[in-house]
Amino acid sequence: MIKEDTIIKLDDDKEYYVLDSMMKDNNNFIMIGEIDPIKDEITNNVKIMFYDSINNKVRKITDPTLLYQLVVSFADRELQNE
């Protein structure tokens, strides 16, 4: 499982900061923000992705219903932490 505060590099050759991580149905989903290499800060390009721990790969979520559920879940967690 990838935890928050980790930096990962994706196939697009960009670095991303793991903002949050959650388990759902025995799968690890992560919310990541692209790192601007010049300013060394997180950009507004935030994505929610699936972490495939077997192959150590981050994959795009193609099911719109699942993506919507994850957006709501991540948002609810953020609101609870405030």
Side-chain angles (χ1 to χ4, degrees):
M1 177 171 152
I2 292 183
K3 299 222 179 230
E4 54 273 357
D5 300 328
T6 303
I7 295 176
I8 59 173
K9 194 173 213 176
L10 297 185
D11 292 340
D12 63 3
D13 221 23
K14 295 178 183 175
E15 288 188 332
Y16 292 84
Y17 182 80
V18 179
L19 300 164
D20 201 354
S21 175
M22 82 167 59
M23 293 298 292
K24 179 177 174 64
D25 301 327
N26 292 324
N27 294 306
N28 185 199
F29 295 97
I30 56 176
M31 181 171 48
I32 57 176
E34 182 181 342
I35 299 173
D36 182 327
I38 296 169
K39 295 181 182 176
D40 198 29
E41 62 185 33
I42 299 169
T43 68
N44 289 334
N45 186 13
V46 175
K47 302 176 182 192
I48 296 177
M49 314 236 357
F50 165 70
Y51 175 65
D52 177 359
S53 59
I54 294 171
N55 298 308
N56 197 27
K57 293 270 188 184
V58 176
R59 301 190 191 282
K60 195 179 222 180
I61 299 168
T62 56
D63 178 355
T65 304
L66 174 60
L67 185 56
Y68 176 77
Q69 291 171 353
L70 290 167
V71 168
V72 170
S73 294
F74 276 115
D76 283 347
R77 288 167 48 127
E78 186 65 29
L79 290 174
Q80 291 174 4
N81 289 335
E82 289 183 355

